[in-house]
Amino acid sequence: MEHDESIYPDPDRFMPERFLNSDGKLKKEYTTSAFGFGRRLCPGIPFAERAIFINIASMLWTFNIKRSDQPDAKTGTPFQYDASDAAFVGDLSSPPNEFPAVFEARSPQRAEVARREWTECEKDFRNLLPAAKNK
């Protein structure tokens, strides 16, 4: 469904702008099968989309993210980034293959905020899932 060329021209090419209108906002007719469809539509879509937005915004606020100069461990040559379907693995979900990246804190203050938030999240996680305390 996500690779239907009548809906998404050149579906294997990474083009996030295909989902934006001329004002740079998400198209109203944007659809995805990631959350199901029809009667099986996930009721958590607004929560999931907002959570993803908050997480990405937090990462971009905290870090400068850039490609690594580290050579590919298999070939010893500079790492070649791949945006095609071959760069993703898995059946149920499709995480990308590992790739080198550098995350640099934008400032010591932002790094401290990230550390503090991480610590608080770990406390919440351990309280919500007591079995995780043993690991």
Side-chain angles (χ1 to χ4, degrees):
M1 181 175 206
E2 305 292 330
H3 288 86
D4 183 346
E5 290 195 26
S6 67
I7 298 172
Y8 303 110
D10 198 4
D12 291 328
R13 190 164 155 235
F14 180 70
M15 293 177 21
E17 64 275 8
R18 76 174 82 220
F19 303 107
L20 304 177
N21 63 22
S22 58
D23 296 329
K25 299 194 185 231
L26 193 61
K27 290 179 179 175
K28 295 285 185 209
E29 66 276 6
Y30 165 74
T31 59
T32 178
S33 63
F35 297 107
F37 42 88
R39 292 177 46 179
R40 304 276 187 252
L41 187 65
C42 175
I45 292 172
F47 174 78
E49 288 180 341
R50 288 179 181 120
I52 290 168
F53 177 83
I54 289 168
N55 280 292
I56 291 172
S58 296
M59 287 178 63
L60 294 175
W61 177 83
T62 307
F63 299 106
N64 288 318
I65 306 169
K66 62 183 184 176
R67 70 173 38 206
S68 172
D69 294 331
Q70 177 182 358
D72 188 328
K74 294 177 188 169
T75 64
T77 60
F79 188 85
Q80 296 294 315
Y81 289 87
D82 183 1
S84 74
D85 282 349
F88 296 87
V89 296
D91 294 324
L92 184 59
S93 65
S94 297
N97 289 324
E98 288 187 25
F99 59 91
V102 177
F103 286 71
E104 296 174 334
R106 291 178 178 262
S107 71
Q109 294 82 8
R110 291 182 186 199
E112 181 53 36
V113 169
R115 278 189 209 94
R116 188 173 59 241
E117 292 298 320
W118 181 265
T119 301
E120 289 301 313
C121 286
E122 282 185 327
K123 286 181 194 173
D124 292 343
F125 178 74
R126 287 188 178 90
N127 287 332
L128 292 170
L129 300 172
K133 289 179 185 176
N134 300 330
K135 294 185 178 186

